[in-house]
Amino acid sequence: MLGHCWTLLGITPDLKKDGDWFRTTLGGRSVFVQRFGDAIRGFENRCAHRFYPLRTSDKGNGPIVCGFHHWHYNQNGHAVGIPNCLELFGTHPLNVGAKLVTLDIATCGSLIFGRFPGGRSSECLEEYLGEGFPILNAMCAMPGRPQRLNDRIAANWKLSMEITLDDYHNVAIHHRERYARNSEIGYFRFGLHSAHFTGHADTLASMSMACRENRYSPSDYRIFNIFPNLAVSIFNARPYWFCHVQLFAPTSPGQTHHRGWLFQTGLPAKERVLDRWTRPFSDVSRAYLVRHFTKKIGDEDHRACEQMQTIAHQFEGSPILGAHEKRIEWFEESYEAAMSRGEAISDTRRQERAKGSTVLTPTGSGP
Ligand code: FES
Ligand SMILES: [Fe+2]
């Protein structure tokens, strides 16, 4: 049902060359994204002929040719090559009219988002992200090879998303020395999304404006939670600013594939001459240390979610949310709203299918 929401699918550094593609999931369904010249296209990973998966590995390069009977699709998803077509289907390939399900695709910085078409909302990605769009655009200009952090979490994706919205667990789970004070944190809500700002140097609106005008200079930790399953944070690893992009892709009700990208941003840093001179060496050790600590914190979060999952079937009633869990409440509200929109769509689909089948049955063709 959430496949109609704009969802992060992958990153442009993975589609550098013409014909590069990667496989991922959207709303729990297998999809793939591919470069055709200047265009990036996305398709459901399912052949129109007998539903074989067109891509059977995570990435590669080359035309869309199904491995089952060699149907060949073009960049618009039309089957343009069908072996022995005249003999077997009595017509030319284009007259067969076979077509892949094509995704809506849009980018923000190096992030590639997609959604299944036909949802209730016609918002483009920029409208969907609202004030977050210029921010992600500025933060997520990735280098050619960001570091990658992948993990399998034995918990529902919502638990993983919620722990990134929770500023109360730092002492118990991450062994911090003290709890944050309300005055140290600013929360912002925009559309279905939300953000946490440490410090009050600026607001979401002023940061968004500064990013849009290409003059944003980071001062504190920030995290942006983009509905449904994306979290993007910025933090300082002296003196430079790093960005961590995290995607929590559901693979089953109790399993989540955590995909992370970690990189040093080009945003202004308080760099001294010594920093500049030592960068060729310090960049290597800094990248290593950032990875080490990011992974450690991630592991602590993931294991906490797995503990919750062990009794997820016993969750009853509403949790008691404190001031530093405010954004979990917002996320749940977004989830309710998006799911009820999704339900309305699948109801329409079911009705259409029911109508369609009564028409198709008597004239259904072939043995
Ligand atoms: S299932 Fe793809 S060509 Fe037959
Ligand atoms: Fe955490």
Side-chain angles (χ1 to χ4, degrees):
M1 287 182 196
L2 300 181
H4 293 289
C5 295
W6 285 109
T7 302
L8 181 68
L9 299 179
I11 59 170
T12 52
D14 288 344
L15 300 182
K16 279 199 200 87
K17 294 194 299 290
D18 191 23
D20 279 353
W21 55 263
F22 60 77
R23 179 179 66 171
T24 182
T25 61
L26 170 59
R29 299 169 86 97
S30 181
V31 300
F32 68 98
V33 181
Q34 180 160 344
R35 174 173 293 284
F36 294 89
D38 290 339
I40 294 176
R41 297 278 156 86
F43 304 100
E44 183 164 9
N45 188 22
R46 182 185 58 160
C47 181
H49 176 221
R50 293 252 311 277
F51 316 132
Y52 195 77
L54 292 157
R55 300 304 189 190
T56 52
S57 57
D58 285 339
K59 59 181 180 170
N61 179 287
I64 311 171
V65 180
C66 181
F68 204 0
H69 312 92
H70 284 175
W71 284 29
H72 183 162
Y73 295 88
N74 70 7
Q75 63 172 303
N76 298 319
H78 294 287
V80 289
I82 295 180
N84 215 6
C85 194
L86 213 51
E87 177 83 9
L88 302 178
F89 297 92
T91 185
H92 292 284
L94 282 177
N95 295 335
V96 173
K99 190 173 185 309
L100 303 179
V101 173
T102 308
L103 312 180
D104 295 337
I105 295 285
T107 59
C108 177
S110 304
L111 307 179
I112 305 172
F113 288 81
R115 68 177 175 191
F116 282 106
R120 297 222 137 189
S121 166
S122 56
E123 282 176 323
C124 66
L125 179 65
E126 193 162 352
E127 290 164 338
Y128 181 74
L129 297 176
E131 286 177 314
F133 186 90
I135 295 174
L136 294 195
N137 197 33
M139 275 167 47
C140 299
M142 289 190 192
R145 285 166 174 240
Q147 300 197 66
R148 286 163 207 262
L149 289 167
N150 291 319
D151 196 12
R152 301 272 169 188
I153 309 169
N156 186 272
W157 70 278
K158 282 178 71 197
L159 294 173
S160 287
M161 199 57 191
E162 285 175 0
I163 207 165
T164 68
L165 296 157
D166 169 346
D167 298 310
Y168 191 27
H169 71 282
N170 285 331
V171 172
I173 300 294
H174 301 304
H175 318 293
R176 294 276 162 78
E177 278 169 16
R178 67 170 185 91
Y179 291 93
R181 277 186 281 277
N182 292 350
S183 60
E184 293 169 323
I185 301 178
Y187 289 143
F188 298 92
R189 188 178 195 180
F190 53 109
L192 299 175
H193 328 294
S194 72
H196 159 140
F197 282 26
T198 299
H200 295 277
D202 51 3
T203 62
L204 182 76
S206 67
M207 180 178 178
S208 181
M209 185 63 79
C211 287
R212 194 181 284 281
E213 293 169 356
N214 225 356
R215 56 174 175 79
Y216 176 64
S217 182
S219 57
D220 293 291
Y221 170 82
R222 305 274 148 95
I223 183 164
F224 300 85
N225 290 78
I226 306 299
F227 189 84
N229 58 347
L230 172 64
V232 181
S233 53
I234 184 167
F235 60 92
N236 194 249
R238 252 168 274 164
Y240 303 107
W241 291 90
F242 275 70
C243 181
H244 188 203
V245 176
Q246 303 184 72
L247 183 69
F248 298 98
T251 46
S252 76
Q255 287 283 339
T256 299
H257 182 193
H258 174 244
R259 299 174 66 199
W261 296 270
L262 191 60
F263 56 95
Q264 188 165 318
T265 70
L267 294 169
K270 291 204 176 79
E271 194 185 37
R272 296 163 305 173
V273 177
L274 185 66
D275 294 321
R276 208 167 314 141
W277 281 11
T278 54
R279 256 192 87 166
F281 315 102
S282 70
D283 271 2
V284 177
S285 51
R286 190 180 301 104
Y288 173 82
L289 287 171
V290 164
R291 181 188 179 85
H292 173 79
F293 286 107
T294 306
K295 185 172 176 334
K296 179 174 177 290
I297 293 167
D299 285 348
E300 288 164 356
D301 282 336
H302 301 171
R303 305 297 83 87
C305 294
E306 289 174 346
Q307 289 299 337
M308 289 192 83
Q309 185 67 36
T310 61
I311 60 152
H313 58 288
Q314 291 167 241
F315 291 4
E316 269 168 27
S318 301
I320 304 161
L321 298 174
H324 293 181
E325 296 156 303
K326 184 77 196 154
R327 297 196 306 138
I328 294 178
E329 190 183 321
W330 294 347
F331 171 73
E332 283 298 332
E333 285 171 8
S334 299
Y335 179 77
E336 289 299 322
M339 288 295 279
S340 56
R341 255 191 257 165
E343 246 158 38
I345 294 163
S346 37
D347 268 357
T348 329
R349 291 261 163 84
R350 263 196 295 275
Q351 284 160 16
E352 273 165 15
R353 263 203 300 270
K355 261 192 258 161
S357 63
T358 54
V359 177
L360 280 178
T361 314
T363 55
S365 62

